[in-house]
Amino acid sequence: MALSCAVLNPTHVLSDKSPCLSLKSSSTAYAHGSYRMLFQDPKYAQASILKAPAAFSSSHRGSPLKCYMRTEKGDLGGVSVGTETTEWKRAEGIVKELERQCSTPISRLREVVDAMAEELRVGLASEAKSNLLKMVISYVDTLPTGDEKGLFYALDLGGTNFRVLRVQLGGKEGRVIDKEFTEVTIPANLMVGTEKELFDYIASELAKFVTSEGKNFYLEPGRQRELGFTFSFPVHQTAIASGTLIKWSKGFSVSEMVGKDVVVALKEAMERQGLDMHVSALVNDTVGTLAGGRYRDEDVMIAVILGTGTNACYVEHADAIPKCQGLLPKSGYMVINTEWGNFWSSHLPVTEFDKALDAESINPGDHIFEKLISGMYLGEIVRRLLLKLAEDAALFGDNIPSRLREPYVLTTPNISAMHQDTSPDLKVVENTLKNVFGISHIPLRTRKLVVELCGIVAVRAARLAGAGIVGILKKLGRDVIGDTGKMRTVVAIDGGLYEHYSFFRQNMQSAVKELLGSEVSETVVLELSSDGSGIGATLLAASNSRYSKKS
Ligand SMILES: Nc1ncnc2c1ncn2[C@@H]1O[C@H](COP(=O)(O)OP(=O)(O)O)[C@@H](O)[C@H]1O
Ligand SMILES: O=P(O)(O)OC[C@H]1O[C@@H](O)[C@H](O)[C@@H](O)[C@@H]1O
């Protein structure tokens, strides 16, 4: 079977040193001019001089045989004479089309900003089930003052990790006198198990941690230990220390929990563990991050999580919350947990791959924005693209590795490592694809294509996250220089995706700058607040302590 490749001739050159021919199974190719066939893979090392018109065949089967062809006089000035197979052209076509579908030009981002600002407003107007954004009233209407004192614990149940923390707070002078924490990965089976299994695991880890309390930590005599419980899932908050689960996200589905008070579930589990501790605050991790950020900088107004999932909260004026009837806080403001992961707009650049991922997820139709931008999903999107290229353009040869069909086997840390591979031969890409999918002998141009795919998915995610932030700034009227002049707004950001993926961080920051313009963007600070939610939860436990004298 002849490859339908162009006939080679000396003028037909490729600008890079990518392999010139991809030979699948037994096939022949034709070459004009006299060339030396250099096989890239040593096991086919046979240099043979081909006299034009030359035909050669390979009995090689399986993944493509890569080779270089050069004139007898050696290298054609550093280029190889090559030809494109139809499959390669098809692969490039698919990637180009994907780039078009995922594009986020500033015009489209502005539409997303406006849609986000509108959904924020709608969500504050009423508790209608139809609201995309839950806009959860957090019952946090006072943020840390710095006067907090004493020993407080925090427990942070996230999408991937579960953290326990204790701090000794020393008021304005001492601030954080000492802190200790431990982090464990949540066993996957508990994400889909029973309430008792999940909460007994959490309570037992917490009880273990309490027994290791050192002498640096001091509990006032006669007091019960107090805890800030950070629960990174959509909760309908009913008071500062109670709330019922609205729905799971990020691969969790402990079914009988929906509608139940998560603090009651934790308290029952703590009792089963014999753990004597009072839950003083139930907070979303964005609210914890905001509190931790405000403890350091009084201009923190917004907190964003870009981790396994994504979400944002912000400080809203109480009189801008119509659904907050009769709950007018003395402070005049209320922290709102937007639950923006559930945002959707027709302006979002959603592709067939995103739709398929959503349809096959455990929460189809939910958290569409989160599925476009957060750490749980970026690797999975790239995997789906690679599978498409393998099926439609034989990117990795005739036989498709079975692991390429395995959902979530390619993680976002994998794609950030490949995407940020600075080695000249893209060794990280090669090793990652080999370790994850068992694919080897990947030519350089294919590795470059994989990097390009990671970039397309990451840029879209980062720019959409930036648009989400500007949507909140717009809701607050801080996307322009108001008549009160320039106001500094700090956005505290936590989460492994933002913290570890610098390319994502840079693209998000540049999207915010592009949307705001240089003058306004100078008033907005995006800062990494990597231990924010834990510290913040202890601070909120302190400010809502059963022993504090509420004025
Ligand atoms: N090196 C990395 N590059 C890109 N994303 C990463 C990296 N390391 C972790 N992440 C993302 O961060 C997520 C963990 O975020 P983190 O905030 O630490 O925990 P959680 O989401 O459980 O609160 C992981 O699910 C992963 O998607
Ligand atoms: O910290 P994580 O696991 O990345 O969670 C971030 C967000 O994940 C979303 O799925 C939840 O609905 C939010 O409540 C949460 O804040």
Side-chain angles (χ1 to χ4, degrees):
M1 176 198 72
L3 267 183
S4 52
C5 60
V7 174
L8 288 183
N9 57 56
T11 55
H12 182 139
V13 293
L14 289 184
S15 58
D16 67 4
K17 295 171 71 68
S18 57
C20 52
L21 282 183
S22 292
L23 295 186
K24 296 183 304 174
S25 62
S26 70
S27 59
T28 57
Y30 298 86
H32 274 298
S34 57
Y35 296 84
R36 182 196 305 276
M37 170 68 83
L38 298 179
F39 284 83
Q40 195 181 38
D41 186 318
K43 52 180 190 290
Y44 303 106
Q46 36 166 308
S48 56
I49 303 297
L50 297 168
K51 291 288 174 213
F56 61 91
S57 67
S58 101
S59 56
H60 176 71
R61 283 201 164 282
S63 62
L65 187 60
K66 303 296 176 196
C67 59
Y68 286 101
M69 292 176 99
R70 292 195 182 99
T71 63
E72 282 174 291
K73 300 178 198 61
D75 215 328
L76 275 176
V79 293
S80 304
V81 182
T83 179
E84 294 304 305
T85 63
T86 43
E87 284 87 354
W88 181 255
K89 286 234 173 287
R90 193 174 303 136
E92 287 184 318
I94 291 169
V95 173
K96 201 153 277 327
E97 171 56 13
L98 183 85
E99 190 162 34
R100 185 190 65 77
Q101 292 176 15
C102 290
S103 64
T104 50
I106 195 71
S107 54
R108 175 175 267 189
L109 286 189
R110 288 201 196 288
E111 289 166 331
V112 173
V113 167
D114 294 345
M116 177 66 82
E118 175 58 11
E119 291 302 340
L120 294 168
R121 189 193 61 74
V122 168
L124 289 178
S126 74
E127 287 292 5
K129 282 223 176 311
S130 57
N131 289 348
L132 276 177
L133 302 188
K134 292 301 172 202
M135 300 299 279
V136 178
I137 293 169
S138 67
Y139 287 82
V140 173
D141 56 7
T142 51
L143 284 163
T145 60
D147 295 327
E148 294 76 12
K149 278 190 174 178
L151 167 60
F152 293 92
Y153 279 79
L155 179 160
D156 180 350
L157 179 62
T160 306
N161 305 306
F162 158 61
R163 290 171 280 263
V164 284
L165 173 86
R166 57 174 153 255
V167 290
Q168 189 73 40
L169 298 170
K172 280 259 188 327
E173 311 67 44
R175 308 285 290 179
V176 176
I177 298 170
D178 200 351
K179 71 176 178 183
E180 282 177 343
F181 77 96
T182 180
E183 179 173 287
V184 288
T185 303
I186 304 156
N189 61 307
L190 295 184
M191 297 178 179
V192 293
T194 65
E195 172 199 328
K196 187 175 180 301
E197 287 163 344
L198 177 61
F199 281 84
D200 279 359
Y201 172 78
I202 292 171
S204 67
E205 288 295 324
L206 181 57
K208 224 187 299 176
F209 185 64
V210 171
T211 55
S212 67
E213 192 178 285
K215 58 185 183 325
N216 306 359
F217 297 90
Y218 169 72
L219 181 68
E220 284 205 34
R223 286 196 175 192
Q224 201 182 6
R225 285 179 181 78
E226 294 184 278
L227 173 79
F229 181 19
T230 304
F231 189 71
S232 307
F233 299 90
V235 161
H236 173 59
Q237 199 92 19
T238 49
I240 187 59
S242 63
T244 54
L245 178 68
I246 297 170
K247 57 185 172 183
W248 289 109
S249 61
K250 295 170 297 198
F252 276 68
S253 74
V254 180
S255 51
E256 77 267 29
M257 277 294 303
V258 173
K260 281 195 76 172
D261 189 318
V262 296
V263 173
V264 167
L266 178 62
K267 280 180 179 168
E268 288 168 354
M270 289 200 290
E271 277 152 26
R272 290 194 291 269
Q273 296 291 327
L275 179 58
D276 175 24
M277 193 176 264
H278 174 69
V279 180
S280 306
L282 167 67
V283 296
N284 181 264
D285 55 344
T286 56
V287 177
T289 301
L290 183 79
R294 180 63 75 92
Y295 188 62
R296 278 198 320 276
D297 184 330
E298 61 186 15
D299 290 334
V300 171
M301 295 294 293
I302 299 170
V304 176
I305 298 281
L306 287 159
T308 307
T310 184
N311 190 15
C313 77
Y314 70 100
V315 182
E316 181 59 276
H317 302 284
D319 54 15
I321 312 173
K323 72 179 182 181
C324 206
Q325 318 301 348
L327 193 76
L328 279 182
K330 288 191 288 298
S331 63
Y333 65 80
M334 177 67 75
V335 175
I336 299 291
N337 164 14
T338 66
E339 284 296 334
W340 83 1
N342 202 47
F343 171 69
W344 180 85
S345 157
S346 57
H347 300 299
L348 287 175
V350 175
T351 70
E352 63 178 277
F353 304 98
D354 306 303
K355 288 174 185 161
L357 180 154
D358 174 52
E360 293 159 34
S361 71
I362 64 163
N363 56 341
D366 276 350
H367 279 64
I368 301 301
F369 193 55
E370 177 166 88
K371 288 167 181 169
L372 290 174
I373 71 175
S374 76
M376 176 160 180
Y377 303 103
L378 299 188
E380 174 60 7
I381 298 168
V382 172
R383 180 195 69 80
R384 287 171 177 268
L385 302 178
L386 289 174
L387 179 57
K388 166 85 174 177
L389 286 164
E391 288 175 337
D392 292 11
L395 190 67
F396 302 119
D398 280 343
N399 56 345
I400 295 171
S402 56
R403 296 198 67 199
L404 198 52
R405 299 184 190 284
E406 199 178 315
Y408 300 97
V409 69
L410 185 68
T411 66
T412 302
N414 289 144
I415 70 159
S416 82
M418 290 196 287
H419 190 200
Q420 299 175 132
D421 181 357
T422 53
S423 62
D425 54 355
L426 295 177
K427 211 71 192 139
V428 174
V429 176
E430 184 177 37
N431 293 338
T432 304
L433 295 179
K434 189 169 184 188
N435 298 336
V436 176
F437 299 118
I439 304 171
S440 45
H441 307 307
I442 301 168
L444 185 59
R445 70 174 181 179
T446 305
R447 293 176 225 165
K448 286 181 182 173
L449 197 76
V450 172
V451 172
E452 200 181 335
L453 281 180
C454 296
I456 291 168
V457 173
V459 166
R460 177 182 70 166
R463 289 173 64 80
L464 289 174
I469 290 174
V470 176
I472 295 178
L473 289 166
K474 183 180 174 82
K475 175 69 180 64
L476 287 171
R478 291 180 179 233
D479 61 325
V480 292
I481 304 288
D483 37 23
T484 53
K486 289 191 175 183
M487 290 175 79
R488 183 171 175 264
T489 305
V490 179
V491 182
I493 305 170
D494 194 1
L497 171 62
Y498 185 79
E499 183 177 357
H500 300 299
Y501 199 169
S502 53
F503 179 90
F504 180 100
R505 203 169 45 241
Q506 288 148 17
N507 274 270
M508 186 178 104
Q509 288 161 348
S510 55
V512 171
K513 198 176 172 100
E514 225 178 301
L515 285 162
L516 294 175
S518 54
E519 191 187 11
V520 177
S521 62
E522 278 165 18
T523 68
V524 176
V525 176
L526 305 182
E527 72 171 16
L528 177 62
S529 164
S530 51
D531 62 355
S533 68
I535 294 275
T538 62
L539 291 162
L540 290 169
S543 45
N544 291 282
S545 161
R546 65 190 321 177
Y547 305 105
S548 66
K549 302 167 210 52
K550 277 272 183 197
S551 53

